[in-house]
Amino acid sequence: MGYKESSSSVSSSSKGRPYLGLTGYWLNFWVSVACITAMTLFGYDQGVFGGIIVTPSFLQTMGNPNPNLQGTIVSLYDIGCFLGAMSAFVFGERLGRKKSLIVGVIIMSIGAILQFTAFSVAQLIVARLVTGTINTATSPVWQSETSKPEWRGKLVVLGMIMNVAGFSLSNWMTYGFSFLSGSISWRFPIAFQLVFSIIMLATIPWLPESPRWLLAHGHYDEGVQVLVALEGGSTTAKDEVIISERDKILEAVRIERETAPSWSDLLRGNSGGTGMLSRLLLGAGTQWMQQLVGINVTSYYLPLVLQNSVGLSNNLARLLAACNSVSYLAFSFLGIVLIERAGRRKLMMWGAAGQAVCYVLISAMLSQASDPVNGTKFGAGATTFFFVYYVFFGICWQGVPWLYPAEINSLSMRTKGAALATASNWISNYIVVQITPTGIANLGWRFYLIWMVFNTVFVPLIWLVYPETANRELEDIDTLYRENKSMIVVCNNKDAIQVERPQRFVDADRERLDRLAHSGVHVDKSTGSVTTESKENDEKLEQA
């Protein structure tokens, strides 16, 4: 297949100890640190302007923008993120996971500097666009491709929990600095983004590239050595677990190359029996749904919502928004527990149902909030259900839409699929954030019924067409779609919807090892080591 050793491989013995001598658990840990920092920064960016947009010094410096211009200033960050995701779609697979992240962090840092030094709306708009180009599509893919299947969901969801932690930190940061006068009340919270950039630039360069990306792009020796390093312990390139994992990846690469349709075929709806088009749409659909369940109606604007819809004071609205972010963070940890036990499908359906009920009650109570006698009680009730909404979202919807595109797409389309899904997130995010200030001003409590309808519709949609990806090898999904070439409706396919890994996939792994043993390669079941009958067979094994 034309595999070659990467001349730049940091895994070469001539380079000394790779990855600062870390292997196994600790190497996985530091990959997670880098990915989690990226998602924390993303959450901080999402939340920080919610507090700044109601800061007197900021509004004065920017000429007291009206609600429409406020929406534009805030939402153009999402357009920047959309452009960043599309750049990953075009260049990400060529650059690899690490380089894509490094380039994104550098560009984002430039944008952060432009933001906290802004003295005009024009500079701020340019800065918001530049800041948004951090590539949030790559981090979940890199995390997914370096994690063990049993940890993959938990780690990606942990990254999204730290996204909430970043959101919470930004709320408390802007609340604390609101007691200061002058431009420091908003410039410092924006400048704080650079702390996350420094952490990422200090960790990503020495960490391993995705072994799946390396093997798919011909860097055979480095890809195998990364698999060995991530496994840890006394594992070698000839151990059973490494050979099995390598063979599954290479088999997926071979099949993709033989069957992958062209882009023109995909646009005509012909995916060559690989389900690529439907898988791209499913991955992008989770991100559209995450925005249309209404999370960024409040994530970007909760202080504004509590002021304008509920009628709270500026200080109390800020304080409650900060307290809500802590509740949001605390309940998000339940997602780690449930992500593999309940699976992706059930979490999304449960969450959408609960969020729909919350928006019904929010709308009902806000419709009575102007009552001169009981208005305060109804306002407090609406605020309570904003908090409850975040509980459902944090547990069920925070992590799955970022994990699902990395799992549902095939190896050759994983970067493009994740980038397209992230672009979908940002363009839908832009629409929601842009219309929210105007929607609240013109529709009042009726505005929240829009999001109730979306949540209600998503429950049967997920049940009908979304396959389960929990507890699967990434290559299991490829097999599922190869065997069900025209699969759209999945609710009647047990292998597609059960939470446990289908037994036939487990049996296929065992058969693969048996074939390996019968080909002259002997697997010691007690140690996992692999030996061959001759030097010639050793050479064949290395070339397999």
Side-chain angles (χ1 to χ4, degrees):
M1 295 180 67
Y3 296 105
K4 59 182 179 292
E5 181 176 3
S6 172
S7 60
S8 63
S9 171
V10 294
S11 299
S12 171
S13 59
S14 65
K15 300 275 187 175
R17 295 198 309 167
Y19 322 128
L20 303 185
L22 300 175
T23 62
Y25 169 83
W26 284 109
L27 185 57
N28 280 272
F29 171 81
W30 280 105
V31 171
S32 297
V33 167
C35 293
I36 285 170
T37 301
M39 301 315 293
T40 307
L41 171 57
F42 164 43
Y44 187 90
D45 280 348
Q46 279 190 302
V48 71
F49 254 79
I52 287 173
I53 205 71
V54 293
T55 300
S57 174
F58 171 81
L59 294 172
Q60 183 178 358
T61 302
M62 298 303 155
N64 294 304
N66 59 37
N68 188 53
L69 184 54
Q70 288 180 18
T72 299
I73 292 171
V74 176
S75 64
L76 281 176
Y77 169 76
D78 301 323
I79 295 299
C81 290
F82 171 78
L83 296 175
M86 292 310 297
S87 67
F89 185 86
V90 177
F91 302 109
E93 191 63 28
R94 188 183 314 167
L95 288 175
R97 317 311 188 216
K98 285 176 55 177
K99 289 181 181 178
S100 295
L101 270 176
I102 291 171
V103 171
V105 172
I106 292 172
I107 295 174
M108 175 269 155
S109 301
I110 294 171
I113 293 170
L114 291 173
Q115 275 193 90
F116 76 77
T117 60
F119 282 92
S120 68
V121 171
Q123 180 179 341
L124 188 64
I125 285 175
V126 171
R128 293 287 285 169
L129 285 168
V130 173
T131 304
T133 56
I134 181 172
N135 183 8
T136 52
T138 302
S139 177
V141 173
W142 189 29
Q143 181 79 84
S144 296
E145 293 186 343
T146 54
S147 304
K148 294 179 182 297
E150 63 270 22
W151 282 98
R152 186 175 65 238
K154 294 181 178 68
L155 288 172
V156 174
V157 171
L158 179 60
M160 296 314 302
I161 288 174
M162 294 308 296
N163 171 277
V164 181
F167 172 76
S168 179
L169 176 62
S170 70
N171 275 267
W172 286 106
M173 181 79 73
T174 54
Y175 175 68
F177 275 80
S178 69
F179 292 97
L180 300 179
S181 59
S183 63
I184 193 174
S185 63
W186 61 274
R187 294 189 190 276
F188 185 88
I190 294 175
F192 193 77
Q193 298 171 78
L194 295 174
V195 172
F196 303 105
S197 299
I198 292 169
I199 294 172
M200 293 173 69
L201 292 174
T203 54
I204 296 172
W206 57 267
L207 289 169
E209 178 58 88
S210 158
R212 286 176 168 83
W213 183 88
L214 290 168
L215 290 171
H217 288 79
H219 305 290
Y220 174 82
D221 291 336
E222 185 177 354
V224 171
Q225 288 305 312
V226 171
L227 287 174
V228 171
L230 291 170
E231 187 66 25
S234 58
T235 308
T236 70
K238 295 184 179 181
D239 283 1
E240 173 188 356
V241 65
I242 301 301
I243 293 174
S244 177
E245 185 69 12
R246 177 203 65 186
D247 287 351
K248 283 189 289 187
I249 295 171
L250 294 180
E251 181 182 7
V253 171
R254 178 186 62 79
I255 292 172
E256 287 293 339
R257 289 175 176 170
E258 291 176 356
T259 63
S262 66
W263 281 109
S264 60
D265 289 333
L266 286 175
L267 292 174
R268 290 196 299 268
N270 176 20
S271 60
T274 63
M276 282 187 182
L277 182 59
S278 60
R279 294 161 77 179
L280 281 172
L281 293 176
L282 287 170
T286 60
Q287 294 281 24
W288 271 96
M289 288 190 291
Q290 189 190 50
Q291 293 308 307
L292 296 179
V293 298
I295 182 59
N296 281 321
V297 170
T298 52
S299 286
Y300 281 74
Y301 294 116
L302 188 55
L304 184 68
V305 167
L306 294 177
Q307 278 186 221
N308 293 3
S309 293
V310 181
L312 303 182
S313 66
N314 182 289
N315 187 63
L316 183 57
R318 287 175 180 271
L319 178 59
L320 287 177
C323 291
N324 173 66
S325 69
V326 175
S327 170
Y328 181 21
L329 174 61
F331 280 100
S332 293
F333 280 96
L334 285 176
I336 295 180
V337 177
L338 295 174
I339 187 69
E340 302 297 346
R341 294 183 183 179
R344 309 343 178 202
R345 282 165 49 88
K346 288 180 181 177
L347 282 185
M348 289 194 289
M349 288 189 287
W350 292 345
Q355 289 157 192
V357 172
C358 287
Y359 269 126
V360 169
L361 295 171
I362 287 169
S363 298
M365 292 185 180
L366 288 180
S367 70
Q368 303 299 316
S370 59
D371 185 288
V373 178
N374 296 311
T376 302
K377 294 180 181 179
F378 284 115
T383 302
T384 299
F385 281 102
F386 276 120
F387 276 56
V388 175
Y389 172 90
Y390 272 91
V391 170
F392 279 106
F393 186 89
I395 296 172
C396 302
W397 275 91
Q398 176 65 23
V400 174
W402 293 95
L403 172 62
Y404 199 88
E407 293 183 323
I408 193 66
N409 284 295
S410 62
L411 176 61
S412 65
M413 296 298 293
R414 195 160 291 139
T415 297
K416 291 183 176 67
L420 182 63
T422 305
S424 300
N425 176 283
W426 290 118
I427 200 65
S428 55
N429 196 332
Y430 168 76
I431 294 169
V432 172
V433 175
Q434 178 67 43
I435 68 172
T436 292
T438 304
I440 293 172
N442 294 332
L443 297 177
W445 62 268
R446 296 174 183 85
F447 180 67
Y448 302 102
L449 291 175
I450 296 171
W451 316 108
M452 178 274 292
V453 172
F454 279 124
N455 277 283
T456 302
V457 169
F458 292 154
V459 176
L461 178 65
I462 294 163
W463 180 75
L464 281 171
V465 302
Y466 273 83
E468 184 58 69
T469 57
N471 301 303
R472 267 74 164 172
E473 299 281 354
L474 294 175
E475 290 71 31
D476 290 348
I477 310 299
D478 295 331
T479 301
L480 178 68
Y481 275 91
R482 284 199 302 271
E483 295 175 351
N484 300 272
K485 298 184 185 301
S486 59
M487 183 174 69
I488 296 177
V489 174
V490 301
C491 58
N492 57 357
N493 186 329
K494 183 179 179 181
D495 285 349
I497 64 174
Q498 69 181 61
V499 177
E500 301 79 13
R501 189 186 186 198
Q503 185 60 39
R504 65 191 187 87
F505 292 143
V506 178
D507 294 340
D509 285 349
R510 291 173 180 167
E511 290 174 6
R512 184 182 296 109
L513 293 175
D514 289 342
R515 288 197 302 271
L516 188 66
H518 285 95
S519 65
V521 178
H522 302 292
V523 180
D524 186 334
K525 298 295 184 180
S526 62
T527 65
S529 63
V530 177
T531 58
T532 56
E533 296 175 343
S534 66
K535 180 179 178 181
E536 180 182 356
N537 281 339
D538 280 339
E539 294 173 353
K540 289 180 179 179
L541 177 63
E542 293 292 343
Q543 298 170 4

